[in-house]
């Protein structure tokens, strides 16, 4: 039995598990079903790659649990189509970035740790994923390519960085129909080291935002500065 086939079967079982746990967006499930997660973990951990758990990736960081990746992606992408401009903070292993690329978004991703940034940039490139990556402090966002339709933060924040709110797309009225396009959405886990509450914040105007609080998670910390 070839390894590819073995991994394909495990991946489809993972997709079914995510479905059972409540992930409903078929686009997200299909994307998880295509990304070879075993290539994003250390070789010693390959046997665990398709279990629904976070795993160490070195430098005290982790590859997020598949459920968490699917959950954040689903909430960021609701109402968005292919070609939407998305910013990820915390590239880490690159797994979340690969899932977003599979959804056909125009992706930008920032990682603070230089060695991780380099390794992951090369891995994503070798797998054929096209996105822009940068090494820097993601709490500042990535102003050069703003505004974004969605921003996903994959590390736990003590508070919501204002730069990220400012880089969300503001809603705009369509001159022909008068209907307004939706504002950008920020999906960010907020809280201390004991755990964080996932928040979904939608920009409703130049200076107005609507916040929805969702489930509890536990992420590695979002560390401001470099
Ligand atoms: N999305 C990743 C999750 C990695 S864990 C994945 O799918 O594997 C979170 C990552 O956020 C870590 O790599 C950590 O170094 C990074 N990080 C923490 N603070 C950051 C900051 N201020 N700017 C950018 N990245 C940051």
């Amino acid at each position: 039995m070839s390894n590819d086939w073995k991994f394909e079967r495990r991946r489809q079982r993972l997709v079914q598990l995510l479905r059972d746990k409540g992930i409903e967006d078929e686009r997200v499930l299909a994307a998880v079903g295509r990304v070879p997660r075993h290539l994003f973990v250390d070789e010693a951990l390959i046997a665990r790659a398709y279990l629904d758990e976070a795993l160490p990736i070195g430098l005290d960081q982790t590859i997020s649990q598949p459920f968490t990746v699917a959950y954040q992606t689903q909430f960021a992408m609701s109402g968005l189509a292919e070609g939407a401009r998305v910013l990820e903070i915390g590239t880490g292993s690159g797994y979340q970035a690969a899932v977003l690329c599979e959804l056909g978004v125009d992706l930008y991703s920032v990682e603070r740790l230089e060695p991780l940034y380099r390794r992951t940039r090369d891995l994503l490139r070798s797998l054929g994923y096209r996105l822009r990556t940068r090494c820097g402090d993601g709490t500042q966002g990535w102003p050069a390519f703003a505004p974004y339709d969605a921003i996903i933060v994959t590390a736990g924040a003590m508070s919501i960085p204002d730069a990220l709110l400012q880089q969300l797309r503001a809603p705009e009225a369509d001159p022909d129909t008068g209907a307004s396009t939706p504002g950008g959405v920020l999906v960010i886990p907020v809280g201390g080291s004991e755990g964080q509450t996932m928040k979904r914040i939608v920009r409703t105007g130049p200076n107005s935002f609507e916040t929805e609080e969702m489930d509890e998670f536990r992420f590695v910390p979002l560390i401001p500065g470099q």
Side-chain angles (χ1 to χ4, degrees):
M1 187 171 62
S2 87
N3 269 349
D4 282 357
W5 178 239
K6 181 176 77 186
F7 290 130
E8 172 65 23
R9 274 211 338 232
R10 290 185 187 176
R11 205 154 43 234
Q12 294 318 318
R13 273 205 296 268
L14 172 62
V15 168
Q16 186 54 46
L17 181 70
L18 297 181
R19 206 186 279 284
D20 295 344
K21 286 187 170 180
I23 303 298
E24 290 172 339
D25 189 327
E26 290 299 331
R27 300 173 303 169
V28 175
L29 291 165
V32 170
R34 287 194 296 269
V35 177
R37 191 169 188 261
H38 61 284
L39 301 180
F40 292 80
V41 302
D42 193 272
E43 240 173 287
L45 297 170
I46 277 191
R48 312 187 70 82
Y50 293 103
L51 301 181
D52 189 25
E53 55 186 35
L55 294 168
I57 55 172
L59 300 167
D60 275 345
Q61 305 304 322
T62 54
I63 177 172
S64 298
Q65 186 183 344
F67 175 75
T68 307
V69 171
Y71 181 99
Q72 286 197 280
T73 309
Q74 173 167 284
F75 281 109
M77 288 300 292
S78 77
L80 295 185
E82 273 187 28
R85 182 166 291 202
V86 179
L87 174 66
E88 178 196 23
I89 307 302
T91 318
S93 70
Y95 179 66
Q96 166 78 79
V99 169
L100 288 164
C101 285
E102 290 283 354
L103 285 161
V105 305
D106 177 21
L107 183 62
Y108 300 78
S109 186
V110 183
E111 169 57 50
R112 178 177 160 269
L113 297 173
E114 174 92 26
L116 209 45
Y117 154 75
R118 284 179 186 280
R119 189 177 85 195
T120 300
R121 178 195 57 189
D122 295 349
L123 172 69
L124 288 168
R125 194 176 289 165
S126 74
L127 293 174
Y129 290 116
R130 294 173 62 98
L131 70 156
R132 282 185 198 249
T133 54
R134 186 168 79 86
C135 185
D137 175 15
T139 64
Q140 302 302 313
W142 193 343
F145 296 101
Y148 300 97
D149 297 301
I151 301 177
I152 297 184
V153 179
T154 69
M158 293 299 289
S159 59
I160 298 169
D162 191 54
L164 299 185
L165 294 173
Q166 296 313 322
Q167 289 171 36
L168 290 175
R169 186 181 301 289
E172 280 164 28
D174 184 312
D176 298 328
T177 64
S180 129
T181 57
V185 51
L186 169 64
V187 179
I188 180 170
V190 183
S193 56
E194 294 303 300
Q196 305 93 24
T197 305
M198 194 70 78
K199 298 196 179 195
R200 183 173 187 273
I201 300 159
V202 178
R203 187 165 199 169
T204 52
N207 282 309
S208 56
F209 301 88
E210 239 171 54
T211 304
E212 186 189 341
E213 296 203 348
M214 303 184 295
D215 298 286
E216 295 292 312
F217 289 85
R218 189 176 288 223
F219 283 81
V220 296
L222 181 72
I223 301 170
Q226 272 227 281

